[in-house]
Amino acid sequence: MAKTKSNPKGFNKIIVYGLSVFLLIVLLINLGIIVKLIELRKQKYSEIYSSENILSEQQKEHFDKLEEIKLLSEKIENIKNVEDLTENIRKEFFENAKKYETMVSQGKGSKKIAYLTLDDGPYNYTPAFLDVLDKYDILATFFLLGKPSSQYDATYKRIVDSGHTIANHTYSHAIYSGLYVTVDSFVNDVLKQEKFLLQKTGVKTNILRFPGGSSSALPPYRHDILQRLRKYNYGYIDWNVSSGDAGKEPSKEKAYNNIINGSRNKNIIVILMHDSSKASLLALPSVIETLKERDYIFLPLFYESSMIIK
Amino acid sequence: MIQSKCKSSTPMKKLIIYILLICLIISFALLYFEYTRYSEVNNRYIALQDEVNNSSNKLRDISDDIAKLKLEEETISNEKKFQIDQYQKWQRQNQILKDLIK
């Protein structure tokens, strides 16, 4: 009897121990999983942190790239409209030139003004003159004649393309062979040149320089010529400084001295040179450098300039 | 003596089992709680990864657009090189005057 009673007790004991061990094992496994989950969660947090950093960098990059796209699109649009923009800035330039010229006339400007003008071109030396002007980044004014030979076509075009002002110096320049004989002979020559320049360059000019200077248009025609020119909206200009290359070719030094000495005590100078003069061409770099040192800026002529007589 | 020992050990065993059971229940609750938190964090991580991937794709698209625009700009700049030089020349000249007028 005692034996039979002891069996269930031993069996119960095994069950109790077994259950306890089982519960303990499950509990430990649970705790292990919890610890693992905590570790994984921490790991995920750190991955989230780095992903957030990546995302933030990507957003910044995204923003920068959108800005780059905006700038590039604007740039492309500007390049497409570069001709219009150039025309606008050209207009602004001449408005500013007018304002500055007024300031200099009133003795207010910090720099003086030099209008460099070249007569009788195009000539064989004209491209070399243009090279010098390009080198010094200077704009000048070319008083052009009518030279129908195709050898000068590229030169006419280059003068305009480089941004220099082109002006009328009559078609024939025939001072001694009929240009000033009558009012009509002169005005017709001017209008012929206007048409010629328009055809060669696409530019219509209304600035004139009389061949030999305005004093060459002597009375009795002078008054009538000026009246007719006004009708065609022309203004004219002479010069107040010359390299002295109109007659006999001077030396390079003489051409230089003529200009530098002639510019003394003048706030606004209009320099006369001729495209045909090698001496003027050789003197030009030194002239530019000296005048720049003496606080001159070089400007191209424009119709609204007070130096243009209307 | 043996009987009394047996009697006192039975409630002790029961107590241990109850305690173990309670601990087990608590551990399950903790496990559930921790799993829920982990899931939330994991979902957030997955969502963020999707966002990062989308953003990368967008960036790639934008980079392609930029490359196209740069090519267009280069082509058009070459075509209009002369006009651009002219514009820059006027801009330089104008700037000189603007500085003098100031």
Side-chain angles (χ1 to χ4, degrees):
Chain A
M1 193 67 188
K3 238 182 185 181
T4 52
K5 266 188 177 179
S6 69
N7 274 345
K9 270 185 184 175
F11 183 69
N12 280 346
K13 210 173 176 182
I14 288 166
I15 287 175
V16 168
Y17 280 125
L19 187 63
S20 300
V21 169
F22 173 74
L23 288 175
L24 203 62
I25 289 168
V26 173
L27 184 63
L28 287 172
I29 289 171
N30 265 3
L31 288 174
I33 294 172
I34 289 168
V35 169
K36 189 70 191 167
L37 279 173
I38 290 170
E39 269 174 29
L40 282 173
R41 186 161 55 84
K42 278 183 180 171
Q43 195 184 325
K44 286 286 166 195
Y45 269 130
S46 113
E47 282 171 357
I48 284 174
Y49 177 73
S50 56
S51 291
E52 276 174 348
N53 277 348
I54 292 170
L55 195 64
S56 148
E57 276 169 24
Q58 281 182 341
Q59 279 169 347
K60 191 178 173 294
E61 200 179 338
H62 190 253
F63 179 78
D64 290 346
K65 283 189 186 283
L66 283 178
E67 198 63 23
E68 195 179 343
I69 284 185
K70 194 181 158 196
L71 289 174
L72 270 170
S73 303
E74 275 175 12
K75 200 173 174 187
I76 289 170
E77 199 57 33
N78 283 344
I79 294 171
K80 282 179 182 169
N81 298 325
V82 70
E83 288 93 347
D84 293 341
L85 292 174
T86 306
E87 193 47 38
N88 288 343
I89 205 159
R90 213 177 73 87
K91 277 182 190 162
E92 192 184 325
F93 168 83
F94 285 118
E95 282 166 14
N96 286 332
K98 176 68 188 155
K99 278 183 205 164
Y100 190 65
E101 191 190 60
T102 309
M103 282 170 67
V104 174
S105 314
Q106 294 165 351
K108 288 179 189 165
S110 59
K111 284 189 184 282
K112 297 171 272 187
I113 296 173
Y115 292 109
L116 179 64
T117 67
L118 291 128
D119 281 14
D120 299 356
Y123 215 84
N124 291 341
Y125 294 136
T126 311
F129 274 101
L130 288 166
D131 289 342
V132 175
L133 297 172
D134 280 349
K135 185 187 163 196
Y136 287 95
D137 204 16
I138 278 172
L139 292 173
T141 306
F142 286 79
F143 286 91
L144 299 168
L145 301 179
K147 299 196 178 175
S149 165
S150 59
Q151 77 174 98
Y152 293 116
D153 285 359
T155 311
Y156 278 113
K157 192 171 181 310
R158 188 178 161 194
I159 294 169
V160 172
D161 287 346
S162 302
H164 303 293
T165 295
I166 60 165
N168 197 325
H169 198 38
T170 72
Y171 185 85
S172 67
H173 201 275
I175 304 175
Y176 307 110
S177 51
L179 181 67
Y180 292 118
V181 171
T182 64
V183 174
D184 281 343
S185 66
F186 181 78
V187 173
N188 288 341
D189 206 307
V190 169
L191 295 178
K192 186 179 177 185
Q193 177 62 352
E194 179 184 306
K195 199 175 163 189
F196 176 81
L197 285 177
L198 185 62
Q199 184 203 331
K200 286 280 179 192
T201 65
V203 176
K204 186 179 181 297
T205 179
N206 53 359
I207 300 174
L208 172 78
R209 176 172 281 160
F210 290 89
S214 61
S215 57
S216 298
L218 294 169
Y221 303 125
R222 186 184 165 87
H223 176 261
D224 293 336
I225 285 175
L226 293 180
Q227 210 169 27
R228 288 278 295 278
L229 287 175
R230 257 182 234 118
K231 191 182 145 195
Y232 291 108
N233 230 5
Y234 265 90
Y236 72 94
I237 185 166
D238 286 319
W239 57 92
N240 57 10
V241 177
S242 169
S243 67
D245 61 359
K248 192 186 162 201
E249 178 80 339
S251 65
K252 170 189 156 188
E253 291 73 24
K254 180 76 179 155
Y256 169 85
N257 287 331
N258 283 341
I259 292 171
I260 301 305
N261 295 336
S263 67
R264 285 211 174 98
N265 305 320
K266 292 187 179 99
N267 282 340
I268 301 177
I269 55 173
V270 182
I271 305 165
L272 171 66
M273 281 185 170
H274 288 83
D275 289 36
S276 53
S277 169
K278 194 174 180 186
S280 290
L281 173 63
L282 294 174
L284 185 57
S286 316
V287 167
I288 292 170
E289 283 167 20
T290 307
L291 290 177
K292 277 188 167 181
E293 279 167 18
R294 295 185 183 183
D295 282 336
Y296 280 94
I297 57 155
F298 288 83
L299 293 178
L301 277 168
F302 50 100
Y303 184 76
E304 292 74 19
S305 165
S306 62
M307 304 304 285
I308 305 284
I309 301 160
K310 288 128 196 162
Chain B
M1 180 73 178
I2 293 166
Q3 259 187 349
S4 69
K5 207 175 184 180
C6 282
K7 273 180 187 174
S8 68
S9 71
T10 307
M12 191 67 176
K13 281 173 191 167
K14 275 184 181 174
L15 185 68
I16 289 168
I17 288 172
Y18 284 141
I19 289 169
L20 280 171
L21 266 174
I22 289 164
C23 285
L24 193 64
I25 289 163
I26 291 169
S27 80
F28 270 116
L30 278 173
L31 183 64
Y32 174 75
F33 175 70
E34 194 50 51
Y35 180 74
T36 312
R37 284 179 75 186
Y38 170 75
S39 291
E40 277 172 15
V41 173
N42 195 39
N43 287 341
R44 195 173 143 200
Y45 172 71
I46 290 167
L48 205 58
Q49 279 301 103
D50 284 348
E51 219 174 315
V52 168
N53 288 339
N54 283 341
S55 179
S56 294
N57 291 340
K58 271 186 191 171
L59 269 178
R60 208 173 305 124
D61 289 347
I62 290 177
S63 297
D64 289 348
D65 288 347
I66 288 176
K68 280 180 199 165
L69 282 173
K70 277 186 176 165
L71 189 70
E72 190 185 345
E73 190 221 335
E74 201 183 318
T75 312
I76 199 168
S77 293
N78 287 336
E79 278 171 14
K80 297 208 170 192
K81 188 182 179 307
F82 170 73
Q83 288 92 327
I84 293 168
D85 287 347
Q86 268 192 325
Y87 172 75
Q88 287 170 342
K89 186 173 190 174
W90 282 110
Q91 207 175 27
R92 277 197 308 276
Q93 299 284 340
N94 193 37
Q95 193 55 49
I96 294 169
L97 282 176
K98 277 164 108 175
D99 292 342
L100 286 169
I101 290 168
K102 265 180 202 169

